[in-house]
């Protein structure tokens, strides 16, 4: 289980994150009203989702958002949820009970994907920061030679013209570790929110 939850930065209760997602089989997913409710074909394989949560407390804080992603409405949560809860508590990310207070509604595009029982949320890379990093992270992921876009705009309903859900092409060993290293190499000012 070690290495499935990676946290970069300190103190901030807000920030950005990357989710590593595994689809065990080919699927057609309706992402809410995206493209008028059209089902988007997703091949079996791995995906990366880029997200953020900029609130300091409550439902919009980073830890709560991530635990929400690891929770399903009607079936068992993703296995990584318990590890996330333990790591967040150990590092002081989030306060109190982080689990959703009521039935989880499907709100973000990624909610529709993570709800499927054929899908597993396998790894989380968390960047604690007071600065919005989603756009930079999405550009970083899009620039990797092994990523592609299943549908332009998917996963980025609040960022016109961007895409935040990426497919990983082929079976590539070490791609997640390489991506995590690229994220860690970002300028420290991005994580701290300080202007250089």
């Amino acid at each position: 289980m070690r290495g499935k939850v990676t946290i970069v930065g300190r103190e901030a209760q807000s920030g950005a994150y990357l989710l590593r997602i595994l689809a065990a089989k080919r699927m057609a997913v309706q992402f809410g009203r995206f493209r008028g409710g059209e089902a988007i074909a997703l091949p079996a394989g791995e995906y990366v989702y880029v997200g953020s949560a900029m609130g300091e407390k409550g439902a919009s804080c980073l830890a709560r958002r991530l635990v929400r992603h690891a929770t399903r409405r009607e079936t068992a949560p993703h296995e990584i949820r318990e590890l996330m809860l333990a790591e967040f508590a150990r590092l002081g990310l989030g306060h109190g009970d982080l689990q959703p207070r009521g039935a989880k509604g499907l709100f973000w595009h990624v909610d529709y994907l993570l709800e499927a029982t054929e899908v597993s949320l396998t790894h989380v890379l968390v960047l604690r920061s007071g600065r919005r990093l989603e756009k930079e992270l999405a550009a970083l992921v899009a620039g990797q030679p092994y990523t592609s876009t299943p549908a332009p705009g998917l996963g980025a309903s609040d960022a016109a013209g961007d895409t935040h859900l990426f497919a990983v092409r082929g079976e590539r060993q070490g791609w997640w570790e390489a991506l995590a290293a690229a994220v860690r190499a970002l300028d420290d000012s991005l994580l701290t929110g300080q202007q250089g």
Side-chain angles (χ1 to χ4, degrees):
M1 291 293 272
R2 188 167 173 84
K4 289 185 176 277
V5 177
T6 304
I7 301 174
V8 179
R10 291 186 281 277
E11 298 179 17
Q13 296 296 321
S14 60
Y17 54 88
L18 302 178
L19 306 179
R20 181 178 179 179
I21 300 167
L22 174 64
K25 67 178 192 177
R26 179 179 175 78
M27 303 176 355
V29 179
Q30 288 180 288
F31 292 91
R33 294 181 297 195
F34 180 71
R35 288 192 180 172
E38 169 191 344
I40 306 297
L42 298 176
E46 293 196 275
Y47 293 83
V48 176
Y49 174 75
V50 179
S52 66
M54 298 310 297
E56 287 291 322
K57 57 185 176 182
S60 63
C61 80
L62 187 56
R64 233 179 255 289
R65 177 75 49 84
L66 289 164
V67 171
R68 182 187 185 283
H69 284 325
T71 303
R72 292 187 175 103
R73 289 193 304 184
E74 297 176 9
T75 59
H78 293 271
E79 287 184 24
I80 197 171
R81 187 173 78 171
E82 290 306 312
L83 179 61
M84 289 167 56
L85 288 167
E87 281 297 291
F88 296 167
R90 185 177 73 80
L91 297 171
L93 181 57
H95 304 289
D97 183 8
L98 299 176
Q99 297 189 49
R101 289 187 168 86
K104 175 183 174 181
L106 302 182
F107 182 72
W108 291 280
H109 291 159
V110 73
D111 289 340
Y112 296 88
L113 180 60
L114 293 173
E115 191 65 22
T117 56
E118 304 86 1
V119 169
S120 299
L121 173 55
T122 63
H123 294 73
V124 178
L125 175 58
V126 182
L127 291 91
R128 297 175 78 168
S129 176
R131 184 166 170 209
R132 290 195 173 276
L133 302 172
E134 207 168 351
K135 189 171 189 70
E136 289 95 336
L137 288 174
L140 177 70
V141 174
Q144 301 306 308
Y146 49 81
T147 62
S148 62
T149 303
L154 186 55
S157 56
D158 57 350
D162 288 348
T163 296
H164 291 168
L165 182 68
F166 301 90
V168 176
R169 292 192 302 264
E171 293 185 25
R172 298 190 170 263
Q173 297 296 326
W175 71 267
W176 178 255
E177 293 76 11
L179 183 57
V183 168
R184 281 192 198 95
L186 291 172
D187 183 359
D188 285 340
S189 67
L190 289 179
L191 296 178
T192 61
Q194 298 170 354
Q195 301 300 319

